[in-house]
């Protein structure tokens, strides 16, 4: 496949918009099933938000990879868990399609030697819910792929974040995480002569004839043209997190500046679907996380805290600091919307690990310490009273907050916010208590904001990924997956790999539905 090319035929069986997990798996499925397919990517690189994922994992319970590893989990147990967490916010049949479908998808992909996966234990995010797995045995990741296996893709797959935001060269040894998934899928796709993948080609609108979506208007280098789709269109073009206007229109908190999604995720596919009658849901929702604020002013997804506490403008703790990132982020968003909190909030920690915050996964590589200090983002003081003054919180409250936390740490039980009560909380402490006292001066504070991994509201679909209209009827010829689709998980994030897994699965189901309707 000529990855540098931009030549398009006038018509294909399937046209897929977007090249994240959903886009590449949807395009691959179409090609493998004998359909001519064109994948169009708006950006200059493939991969979408998926390519930024350090793990690239999928939450697919009881899939063959985990079964070979000896898991005793069952799809039935996973479904009990998922329904308990998500509730009735999304259709039960959509939830069931996701939970049951992942194992079949992995079986399908593993028949092709280009795909390989491995277990990567990652605890469920609601450890007290029925049938939760604290051992992480519902999560797999793509096996790293040597760059030598697809050297032409090294600079054509988006990411890592260090490359895009810090200017570091992309790795020359391995594709890992989300980049591995995308590179593997593109490599597999390239084996089919009837598959095409083009970059810098944005979907602008959909073409409808006799009530059916029959193609799309795409834009290349400022010129627009129609590409027809005989079987159907799959919209897997990410969310609209990078579009500040749409965030305001639909009430998504936070800022486009602080999203982890790529700049091309502007919601064009959402708008195109809505223009032809698609119904939407969850449009004010996103996959949330606390964001460590960097010298460029952007707050970026951060996790794996090995110490410290988070305090608000009153110098008070307000959350379980070791909670899963979406749960923690939702607590911040809720307090912001209620007017109970202002940004930034602060991580306060002692000197046991030095001035750098005890954050092991910053996702965006750290700049030199002096840049954070110069930007007023990191502060150091000999006493907690002095530190409170520098970050603008009441000194007596911060001192009392730290004293209270140290008492809880000494007892090993967080009576205030239950930090350490669930397996995920303890995951980054090797199963032990995450409560680390703050007593060794000098003392430090680092500024945090709210970040997101993308919006999760989108076009409503059925279990075959067919886009639905306001009456609940399919829009003929139109399918959606990933963050262009209203998430089956509703207002929750049940487990790591949920966004990528759902994106992969529903794009695959979309194409299988097209195949089934013809056969």
């Amino acid at each position: 496949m000529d990855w540098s090319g931009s030549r398009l035929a006038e018509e294909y069986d399937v046209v897929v918009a977007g090249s994240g997990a959903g886009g590449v798996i949807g395009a691959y499925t179409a090609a493998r099933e004998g359909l001519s397919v064109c994948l169009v990517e708006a950006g200059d690189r493939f991969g979408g938000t998926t390519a930024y994922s350090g793990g690239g994992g999928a939450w697919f319970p009881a899939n063959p990879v985990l079964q070979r590893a000896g898991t005793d989990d069952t799809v039935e147990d996973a479904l009990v868990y998922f329904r308990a967490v998500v509730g009735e916010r999304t259709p039960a049949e959509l939830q069931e399609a996701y939970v049951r479908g992942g194992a079949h998808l992995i079986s399908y992909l593993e028949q092709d030697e280009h795909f390989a996966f491995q277990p990567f234990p990652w605890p469920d995010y609601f450890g007290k819910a029925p049938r939760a797995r604290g051992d992480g045995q519902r999560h797999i990741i793509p096996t790293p792929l040597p760059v030598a296996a697809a050297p032409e893709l090294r600079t054509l797959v988006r990411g890592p974040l260090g490359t895009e935001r810090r200017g570091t060269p992309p790795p020359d040894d391995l594709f890992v995480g989300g980049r591995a998934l995308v590179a593997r899928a593109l490599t597999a796709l390239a084996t089919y002569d009837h598959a095409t993948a083009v970059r810098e080609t944005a979907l602008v609108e959909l073409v409808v004839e006799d009530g059916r979506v029959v193609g799309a208007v795409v834009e290349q280098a400022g010129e627009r043209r129609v590409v027809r789709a005989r079987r159907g269109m799959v919209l897997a073009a990410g969310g609209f997190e990078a579009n500040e206007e749409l965030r305001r229109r639909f009430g998504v908190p936070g800022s486009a500046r602080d999203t982890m999604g790529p700049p091309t995720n502007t919601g064009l596919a959402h708008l195109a679907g809505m223009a032809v009658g698609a119904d939407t849901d969850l449009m004010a929702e996103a996959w949330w996380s606390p964001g460590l604020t960097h010298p460029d002013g952007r707050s970026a997804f951060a996790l794996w805290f090995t110490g410290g506490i988070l305090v608000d403008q009153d110098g008070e703790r307000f959350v379980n600091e070791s909670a899963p990132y979406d749960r923690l982020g939702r607590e911040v968003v809720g307090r912001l919307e209620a007017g109970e909190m202002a940004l930034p909030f602060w991580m306060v920690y002692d000197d046991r690990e030095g001035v750098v915050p005890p954050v092991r996964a910053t996702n965006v590589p750290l700049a030199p310490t002096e840049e954070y200090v110069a930007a007023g983002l990191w502060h150091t003081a000999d006493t907690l009273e002095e530190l409170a003054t520098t970050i603008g919180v009441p000194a007596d409250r911060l001192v009392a907050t730290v004293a209270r936390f140290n008492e809880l740490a000494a007892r090993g039980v967080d009576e205030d916010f239950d930090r350490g009560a669930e397996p995920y909380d303890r995951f980054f402490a090797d199963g032990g208590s995450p409560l680390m006292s703050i007593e060794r001066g000098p003392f430090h504070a680092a500024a945090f904001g709210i970040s997101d991994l993308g919006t999760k509201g989108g076009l409503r679909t059925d279990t075959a990924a067919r886009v639905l209209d306001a009456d609940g009827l399919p829009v003929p010829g139109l399918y959606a997956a990933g963050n262009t689709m209203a998430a089956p998980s509703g207002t929750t994030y049940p487990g790591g790999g949920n966004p990528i897994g759902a994106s992969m699965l529903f794009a695959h189901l979309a194409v299988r539905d097209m195949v089934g309707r013809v056969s």
Side-chain angles (χ1 to χ4, degrees):
M1 184 176 291
D2 180 11
W3 300 113
S4 62
S6 59
R7 297 179 61 184
L8 290 172
E10 293 183 358
E11 189 173 41
Y12 299 87
D13 290 322
V14 181
V15 176
V16 179
S19 65
V24 294
I25 295 301
Y28 166 78
T29 302
R32 177 166 155 178
E33 296 300 319
L35 305 180
S36 63
V37 59
C38 180
L39 182 153
V40 297
E41 164 56 46
D44 61 353
R45 284 156 293 175
F46 298 112
T49 309
T50 300
Y52 291 151
S53 172
W59 193 88
F60 284 154
N63 71 71
V65 178
L66 296 174
Q67 289 179 338
R68 290 194 299 269
T71 184
D72 62 353
D73 192 23
T74 67
V75 170
E76 301 304 327
D77 279 354
L79 186 57
V80 169
Y81 168 76
F82 199 85
R83 284 179 170 168
V85 170
V86 179
E88 298 180 2
R89 182 58 184 83
T90 61
E93 62 271 19
L94 197 66
Q95 298 176 34
E96 185 165 359
Y98 171 55
V99 175
R100 292 193 185 281
H104 298 291
L105 174 57
I106 296 303
S107 290
Y108 179 88
L109 295 178
E110 285 196 320
Q111 294 170 14
D112 187 325
E113 63 182 8
H114 291 93
F115 291 95
F117 301 90
Q118 62 192 51
F120 193 85
W122 198 261
D124 285 340
Y125 288 173
F126 291 81
K128 295 181 179 180
R131 310 295 171 84
R133 295 292 296 211
D135 59 6
Q137 292 299 316
R138 288 173 176 157
H139 182 256
I140 59 173
I141 62 171
T143 301
L145 177 71
V147 170
E152 67 280 8
L153 294 177
R154 176 173 174 262
T155 58
L156 294 183
V157 174
R158 183 175 289 283
L161 281 165
T163 298
E164 299 195 17
R165 297 197 185 183
R166 301 289 300 158
T168 58
D172 58 8
D173 55 349
L174 293 172
F175 293 103
V176 299
R179 298 187 82 230
L181 176 62
V182 172
R184 285 183 174 279
L186 290 175
T187 303
L189 182 66
T191 64
Y192 295 95
D193 293 337
H194 49 279
T196 301
V198 296
R199 295 170 290 121
E200 299 181 287
T201 305
L203 178 143
V204 178
E205 59 186 80
L206 297 170
V207 178
V208 178
E209 293 179 359
D210 298 324
R212 179 181 180 84
V213 173
V214 296
V217 176
V218 299
E219 184 173 303
Q220 287 182 328
E223 296 186 2
R224 296 187 175 187
R225 57 170 296 183
V226 173
V227 179
R228 298 180 68 85
R230 288 183 287 265
R231 302 285 186 89
M233 287 283 314
V234 181
L235 304 183
F240 56 90
E241 60 272 4
N243 187 325
E244 201 69 69
E245 180 182 350
L246 287 187
R247 291 182 77 114
R248 290 196 300 270
R249 173 177 167 184
F250 294 113
V252 179
S255 168
R257 174 197 62 193
D258 298 324
T259 186
M260 305 306 290
T264 48
N265 283 9
T266 58
L268 288 177
H270 290 71
L271 296 175
M274 293 162 64
V276 299
D279 195 16
T280 61
D281 194 16
L282 299 165
M283 294 296 280
E285 293 293 329
W287 310 93
W288 298 110
S289 77
L292 177 66
T293 306
H294 294 268
D296 63 1
R298 303 174 73 176
S299 297
F301 172 38
L303 75 161
W304 192 347
F305 302 161
T306 58
I309 57 174
L310 297 175
V311 302
D312 60 16
Q313 71 280 354
D314 297 320
E316 305 271 5
R317 282 183 77 206
F318 61 92
V319 72
N320 167 10
E321 296 90 348
S322 295
Y325 42 90
D326 183 74
R327 291 175 63 182
L328 200 164
R330 284 180 181 279
E331 183 66 28
V332 173
V333 168
R335 296 192 80 225
L336 289 171
E337 292 183 328
E340 300 171 354
M341 186 172 172
L343 297 179
F345 56 100
W346 298 91
M347 174 176 277
V348 174
Y349 51 102
D350 69 10
D351 202 52
R352 71 181 67 217
E353 297 184 25
V355 66
V356 176
V359 179
R360 292 291 174 269
T362 59
N363 292 290
V364 174
L366 292 176
T369 295
E370 54 269 23
E371 293 186 22
Y372 293 89
V373 174
L377 299 172
W378 292 1
H379 298 271
T380 296
D382 290 332
T383 68
L384 288 169
E385 290 87 351
E386 292 176 279
L387 185 67
T389 299
T390 63
I391 64 175
V393 306
D396 59 338
R397 294 310 311 143
L398 182 62
V399 170
T401 295
V402 171
R404 169 64 176 170
F405 178 75
N406 287 346
E407 292 176 6
L408 299 174
R411 294 203 294 269
V413 179
D414 182 4
E415 299 172 357
D416 296 340
F417 296 100
D418 281 340
R419 185 178 185 181
E422 297 187 19
Y424 183 89
D425 298 10
R426 302 186 296 272
F427 184 65
F428 299 116
D430 295 325
S433 172
L435 305 177
M436 304 295 292
S437 61
I438 301 170
E439 52 194 4
R440 186 182 305 172
F443 301 97
H444 311 284
F448 272 71
I450 186 69
S451 181
D452 65 69
L453 284 69
T455 52
K456 65 185 303 189
L459 311 183
R460 279 205 313 123
T461 67
D462 65 9
T463 58
R466 296 183 298 174
V467 172
L468 304 176
D469 64 17
D471 295 321
L473 301 174
V475 177
L478 186 60
Y479 299 78
N483 286 347
T484 310
M485 165 191 179
S489 60
T491 58
T492 67
Y493 196 152
N498 187 173
I500 289 177
S503 185
M504 294 169 65
L505 177 64
F506 282 96
H508 173 75
L509 293 176
V511 176
R512 295 303 294 259
D513 185 74
M514 297 179 201
V515 173
R517 288 182 184 280
V518 173
S519 61

